[in-house]
Amino acid sequence: MTQPTDAPGPTQSGPATPQMRPGRQLLAASVGNAVEWYDWLAYTFLATFIAAEIFPKSADNSLVPLLSTFAVFAVGFFMRPIGGLLLGAIADRRGRRAALTVTILLMGGSSLLLALTPTYAAAGLLGPVVLVIARLLQGLSVGGEFAAATTFLVESAPQGRRGLFSSFQYVSTTVGQLIASGVTALLVAGIDDSAMHQWGWRAAFVLGAVLSLVGFWIRRSSEETRSAEQQAAPRPGLFEALRTHPRESLLICGITTGATIAYYTWTSYLPTYAQVNVGFDKGDSLLIGTISLAFFALLQPLGGLLSDRVGRKPLLLTFSVGFAVLCVPLLNSITQSFTSLLLVQCAGMILLTGYTSIAAAVNAEVFPARVRASGIGFPYSATVALFGGTAPYMGTLFKDLGRPEAFPWYVAVLCLISALVYLKLPEGADKPLER
């Protein structure tokens, strides 16, 4: 029988082992997560160069554009939930550290495979096939990273600091995104267009593979966070979390629904939304996106610290109710002014911090230690794929249907649904975490 979460006991106080060094644990999770997201997002920033070499417009084989479409959708909407399920199960069966080393090696290997992908001119259809396989592997890795890193971070936190440690999940994710953008910008500025098409885009993925080895080395020196009792217990089955904790699985979906659409809208899609709907300058919108992401990263530890003092629910409700009420007026207030978009994006980042800074802690506090990683991994990744990954598509669809004003309402309604879930969510900040 699982020990009650409010009962005293050695499995619920402090780090999982007396030798655990929280600073090293935080570094292992954060550096590795940043590398994961650099590798994942570099493809997005380099897509135009990759497409020209691997999916040329002049290709005669009709399977080429089909494979291109398959690569985008299969990775974003299929492999991440599978990664959350499989690698989350590894984290519960073999340990958090084992899962984290698997995810980063998988990401490094797939990045190297991307760098070595043959062009369509050199190898024909083999080039697109290799590219698709590499992106599928990256999707598998990213899907497992959140589940494993979430449990590792929160279980490594000293008592009363779970919110702070949780915040580094999105600090490192944002840092990885900024590095990917920065490396791409430096390559484009430093070499000519011909060199970018020949080898420049490949260099970014070689760098990612090297950084993955660095992250692997750092993670190898970290400590396992499962207690000795959990390590000695029978290993859970692949679907045990879904089978034995269906309510908690649905709760993860409700917690994530509004947050993921708000996150992808504000951190990824907003520059495009401004370009499409008000004719905003492309260069300025991307600059604003970079500034706001840096601002967003700085906010995360503040949100985590605040949640350790006042609890998780006040921040979650501030985020969800704030977006439900303000999303429509904020998006409708965007003009062609640089200041207007900057203020809208930063205002959204402040509200969004109410969720992102504590997402890892909130999710980890839902499940018992035995199935914590797998319990989080699948429902979280599936919800992100369904609502977060489709945010740009839905925004474009509403525009194509002649109803662009409907998209802000769509985001607001999903955030309102999550607000109702947060109202019923038990407060976890003041309870020890089962180890």
Side-chain angles (χ1 to χ4, degrees), residues 29-31 33-35 37 167-177:
S30 299
V31 171
N33 194 52
V35 171
W37 283 92
S167 69
F168 280 85
Q169 179 83 29
Y170 277 90
V171 170
S172 53
T173 296
T174 306
V175 167
Q177 186 171 357

Side-chain angles (χ1 to χ4, degrees), residues 373-397:
S374 56
I376 294 169
F378 182 76
Y380 171 84
S381 295
T383 307
V384 168
L386 182 60
F387 294 105
T390 58
Y393 173 79
M394 293 302 296
T396 304
L397 176 63

Side-chain angles (χ1 to χ4, degrees), residues 243-295:
R243 180 173 51 83
T244 60
H245 298 278
R247 178 184 176 276
E248 288 81 359
S249 298
L250 288 174
L251 193 58
I252 295 293
C253 295
I255 289 169
T256 308
T257 296
T260 190
I261 184 72
Y263 175 79
Y264 279 95
T265 297
W266 248 258
T267 63
S268 302
Y269 180 57
L270 199 58
T272 302
Y273 178 87
Q275 295 167 34
V276 170
N277 289 279
V278 302
F280 204 92
D281 180 78
K282 182 178 181 180
D284 285 348
S285 68
L286 294 175
L287 175 59
I288 289 169
T290 302
I291 294 171
S292 62
L293 280 173
F295 174 65

Side-chain angles (χ1 to χ4, degrees), residues 82-150:
I82 292 177
L85 179 65
L86 296 180
L87 294 170
I90 289 175
D92 287 333
R93 292 169 63 86
R94 300 287 184 178
R96 320 310 191 202
R97 191 182 74 160
L100 287 173
T101 54
V102 170
T103 61
I104 201 161
L105 286 177
L106 187 60
M107 182 60 78
S110 53
S111 292
L112 185 60
L113 187 60
L114 276 170
L116 299 176
T117 300
T119 64
Y120 187 84
L125 194 60
L126 179 63
V129 170
V130 171
L131 186 69
V132 169
I133 292 172
R135 285 297 284 176
L136 290 174
L137 292 175
Q138 285 193 324
L140 193 72
S141 176
V142 168
E145 175 71 13
F146 184 87
T150 289

Side-chain angles (χ1 to χ4, degrees), residues 12 16 19 23-24 37 54 97 99 197 199 231 244 247 257 262 301 382 414 428:
Q12 293 180 311
Q19 297 81 20
R24 175 169 288 187
W37 283 92
I54 311 300
R97 191 182 74 160
H197 281 84
W199 59 267
Q231 294 181 52
T244 60
R247 178 184 176 276
T257 296
L414 292 180

